[in-house]
Amino acid sequence: MTFTFKTIIGTNGFTSAILIPEDIADQLATDKIKRVVATIKANSKELTLYAGIAKKHGIIYMMFSKANQKALGVTAGDTLEIDMREDTSKYQAPITEELEAVLLSDFEAYEIFETLLPGKQRNIIFMVYRVNDSQKRVDIALNIMENLKIGNHNPIKFEKLL
């Protein structure tokens, strides 16, 4: 199911957020949808956002970083066009070919990766996804796998081993 709507960039009190209309938020809750893929359009630009649905003080929203705002050329209060659907992928994050190849080539690291909590898996996936250069993605993925194999399972504390 795809949800299409217009909304403004608001705030959750600490960070910028894409406010989700109440009727859509109700449907998301009914269908127990917690992670989405959203195509966001503004100023003749388009961005794909992989996000979790959050609730604070009765407001349902997706976090919307300053970097994403800059990419679209928008700020708080601006209107956005949103096409949003449930993220039904295995990890609920955009796994890159490079990370997938490294996981397939290192069974020990893959087994460890599969035992991690979904949030830590997504952290690792996004660490690789954010990098633009393919070779750097491979290098980062290899380094992550080495950290997992030495027992460092906290993405925030990964060391540069390679």
Side-chain angles (χ1 to χ4, degrees):
M1 174 180 286
T2 301
F3 303 98
T4 302
F5 58 95
K6 287 186 177 186
T7 189
I8 61 166
I9 302 171
T11 181
N12 70 353
F14 300 103
T15 186
S16 295
I18 295 174
L19 306 177
I20 299 174
E22 193 173 323
D23 59 329
I24 294 173
D26 291 342
Q27 186 63 45
L28 292 172
T30 300
D31 294 344
K32 297 182 180 173
I33 297 173
K34 295 182 180 180
R35 295 203 57 85
V36 296
V37 178
T39 302
I40 304 166
K41 299 173 190 167
N43 300 328
S44 303
K45 295 179 185 175
E46 190 173 294
L47 174 80
T48 301
L49 178 66
Y50 297 84
I53 301 299
K55 181 178 182 178
K56 188 171 188 177
H57 304 298
I59 298 171
I60 310 296
Y61 64 94
M62 295 181 290
M63 289 198 298
F64 193 50
S65 70
K66 294 283 186 191
N68 286 334
Q69 290 177 51
K70 185 176 180 180
L72 288 177
V74 295
T75 59
D78 289 349
T79 301
L80 305 172
E81 294 178 36
I82 313 287
D83 289 320
M84 181 175 69
R85 62 180 168 74
E86 180 178 12
D87 188 343
T88 57
S89 63
K90 180 177 179 179
Y91 300 110
Q92 296 185 327
I95 193 162
T96 64
E97 290 178 19
E98 296 86 354
L99 179 56
E100 191 170 26
V102 170
L103 285 169
L104 290 173
S105 69
D106 190 338
F107 187 70
E108 180 186 356
Y110 172 76
E111 285 183 314
I112 296 167
F113 181 80
E114 286 297 315
T115 65
L116 298 175
L117 294 172
K120 285 190 179 183
Q121 290 175 337
R122 283 191 293 274
N123 280 347
I124 290 169
I125 291 168
F126 280 112
M127 286 172 75
V128 176
Y129 177 76
R130 287 186 188 107
V131 177
N132 291 327
D133 181 64
S134 181
Q135 184 56 50
K136 285 184 181 178
R137 283 182 174 178
V138 172
D139 294 342
I140 290 170
L142 288 169
N143 190 62
I144 289 168
M145 296 310 123
E146 290 303 314
N147 271 279
L148 292 177
K149 290 193 294 190
I150 65 168
N152 184 0
H153 298 170
N154 186 348
I156 296 170
K157 296 182 179 178
F158 282 166
E159 298 177 23
K160 183 153 178 71
L161 299 173
L162 301 174

